[in-house]
Amino acid sequence: MKFCSECASPVSLSIPAGDNRPRYVCSNCAAIHYQNPKMVLGSIPVWERDGELKVLLCQRAIEPRHGYWTLPAGFMENAETTGEAAMRETEEEAGANIKLGPLFTLLNVARVHQVHMFYLAELLDLDFAPGVESLDVRLFSEAEIPWHDLAFPTIRTTLELFFADRVKIREGGGYGFHTQDITRTMRSDLDPS
Amino acid sequence: MKFCSECASPVSLSIPAGDNRPRYVCSNCAAIHYQNPKMVLGSIPVWERDGELKVLLCQRAIEPRHGYWTLPAGFMENAETTGEAAMRETEEEAGANIKLGPLFTLLNVARVHQVHMFYLAELLDLDFAPGVESLDVRLFSEAEIPWHDLAFPTIRTTLELFFADRVKIREGGGYGFHTQDITRTMRSDLDPS
């Protein structure tokens, strides 16, 4: 940030009165330009028939991580709720019709000023298709998940927690709600193999 | 937003290629200035001794809702986690030492482009004191909560859910995690009495 978005004068970093950290402050109109973390919302679209469970993943057509696989997710927009954002992103990236379930993960990625959240979701039909930000959209069983070609650590963590909860469900439990702070990068997250 | 924060040229609303909603786009350098919802993080500081439970509330020294009561909470900053933000706000507004528990509420306030989250917290001592943004900080039993003088609907909802879960705990249950979309304003939220 170099200029004030209200009056076009140069901004500089200084600590406003009553504040305790540097902000971009306008040299002319004194407007303070706060910068805050962003939310990334997505879903875990699940297709379950005859005892077999599959999860819908999208192959990214955009950077970062072009060609890698992700759960449908993206930046939350103004004037929508977290649930609406998860539904919209699933529609935009995977063309998928889902019934949204409860919030499943809330993952802090403080290094990049983001909070990622994923909702459980029931895939309602098989009429999905890649949107403009996806190369491909496919259903994966647990054994088929491309663990070494996942786009982001939060996707890996969410899928790991999801399949761990599936084990608990077979033992009579239910899905939990999970919060974690993610400090590793995707590269450090992968096995050395 | 009137001017580009990168080059100071005028911006105008238009739908960028590959996008589906209007953004502020620079007429000169083509920078796209996205606007996204903000997170407000806070805690429910609980003091429990000899079977008596009290919750710490702050009386706001700033607008909006000057003079009204709130749980300690504020905007999450870049480079911190949701938990760190809740701890920091509790320290700044109430001077309170807490041990953070699990996330308790996640409340969408889409009308003002915000998501409010509150963590359960154990108040570790009684050495609390109002920060610069608070007029007063006090412990309230359930019967003493100033329901008609609360600052925001999300404070009311979080306290209602908290005391409802306390009833469940007396019956052998535990605290839940609650998500809600808040569409009412504080005024419509109050009883006509």
Side-chain angles (χ1 to χ4, degrees):
Chain A
M1 173 167 288
K2 297 170 190 162
F3 300 98
C4 177
S5 55
E6 293 306 309
C7 79
S9 300
V11 296
S12 63
L13 279 172
S14 66
I15 301 176
D19 203 339
N20 54 20
R21 62 184 69 202
R23 312 285 181 186
Y24 287 105
V25 181
C26 178
S27 56
N28 174 51
C29 74
I32 304 169
H33 300 282
Y34 296 95
Q35 298 185 309
N36 301 90
K38 290 181 169 53
M39 284 170 276
V40 170
L41 265 294
S43 77
I44 311 162
V46 172
W47 179 257
E48 195 167 10
R49 290 293 185 280
D50 306 323
E52 197 184 16
L53 178 144
K54 294 189 172 192
V55 173
L56 198 71
L57 298 181
C58 306
Q59 190 179 28
R60 287 172 64 81
I62 52 172
E63 294 294 347
R65 306 290 285 172
H66 182 283
Y68 288 83
W69 292 86
T70 182
L71 290 162
F75 287 109
M76 183 175 170
E77 302 278 2
N78 276 352
E80 68 183 0
T81 66
T82 48
E84 288 166 350
M87 295 272 288
R88 178 182 51 72
E89 289 291 344
T90 305
E91 213 295 317
E92 285 179 5
E93 299 192 351
N97 302 307
I98 57 169
K99 183 184 169 199
L100 212 65
L103 189 59
F104 182 67
T105 50
L106 184 145
L107 306 168
N108 281 285
V109 198
R111 186 175 51 87
V112 292
H113 317 321
Q114 293 177 4
V115 177
H116 293 202
M117 300 180 218
F118 291 90
Y119 281 82
L120 293 168
E122 178 191 345
L123 190 60
L124 295 176
D125 55 54
L126 296 175
D127 297 334
F128 52 81
V132 291
E133 296 186 0
S134 303
L135 297 170
D136 195 3
V137 180
R138 275 196 243 168
L139 286 169
F140 293 86
S141 69
E142 182 175 6
E144 293 166 341
I145 297 281
W147 294 105
H148 287 269
D149 292 314
L150 294 179
F152 306 108
T154 55
I155 304 300
R156 184 189 182 91
T157 297
T158 297
L159 288 171
E160 285 172 347
L161 290 166
F162 174 77
F163 288 113
D165 274 13
R166 292 292 306 175
V167 174
K168 290 181 198 156
I169 286 169
R170 285 194 290 271
E171 294 163 353
Y175 288 112
F177 167 65
H178 306 271
T179 58
Q180 277 191 25
D181 300 337
I182 307 289
T183 53
R184 60 193 187 278
T185 61
M186 197 67 229
R187 191 152 299 277
S188 68
D189 197 46
L190 297 173
D191 297 335
S193 59
Chain B
M1 172 167 288
K2 297 171 190 160
F3 301 97
C4 178
S5 55
E6 292 306 307
C7 79
S9 300
V11 295
S12 63
L13 280 173
S14 65
I15 300 176
D19 203 339
N20 54 20
R21 63 184 67 201
R23 313 285 181 185
Y24 287 106
V25 180
C26 178
S27 56
N28 174 50
C29 75
I32 303 169
H33 300 282
Y34 296 96
Q35 297 186 307
N36 302 89
K38 289 181 168 55
M39 284 170 277
V40 170
L41 266 294
S43 76
I44 311 160
V46 173
W47 179 257
E48 195 167 9
R49 290 292 185 281
D50 306 322
E52 197 184 15
L53 178 144
K54 295 191 172 189
V55 173
L56 197 71
L57 298 181
C58 305
Q59 191 179 28
R60 287 171 66 82
I62 53 172
E63 294 295 346
R65 305 289 288 170
H66 182 283
Y68 288 82
W69 292 86
T70 182
L71 290 162
F75 287 109
M76 183 174 170
E77 301 279 2
N78 276 351
E80 69 183 359
T81 65
T82 48
E84 287 166 351
M87 296 271 289
R88 177 182 51 72
E89 289 291 344
T90 305
E91 213 295 315
E92 286 179 5
E93 298 193 351
N97 303 308
I98 57 169
K99 183 185 168 198
L100 212 65
L103 188 59
F104 182 67
T105 50
L106 183 145
L107 305 169
N108 280 286
V109 199
R111 186 175 51 85
V112 292
H113 316 320
Q114 293 178 3
V115 177
H116 293 203
M117 300 180 218
F118 291 90
Y119 281 82
L120 292 168
E122 179 191 344
L123 190 60
L124 295 175
D125 55 54
L126 295 175
D127 296 334
F128 53 81
V132 290
E133 297 187 359
S134 303
L135 296 171
D136 195 3
V137 180
R138 273 195 243 169
L139 285 169
F140 293 87
S141 70
E142 182 174 6
E144 295 165 341
I145 297 281
W147 294 106
H148 288 268
D149 292 314
L150 294 179
F152 307 107
T154 55
I155 303 300
R156 184 188 181 91
T157 297
T158 296
L159 288 171
E160 285 173 346
L161 289 166
F162 174 78
F163 288 113
D165 274 13
R166 292 293 305 176
V167 174
K168 290 182 199 156
I169 286 169
R170 286 196 288 272
E171 295 165 353
Y175 289 111
F177 166 65
H178 307 271
T179 57
Q180 276 190 27
D181 301 336
I182 308 289
T183 52
R184 61 193 187 278
T185 62
M186 197 68 230
R187 190 152 298 276
S188 69
D189 197 47
L190 296 175
D191 296 334
S193 58

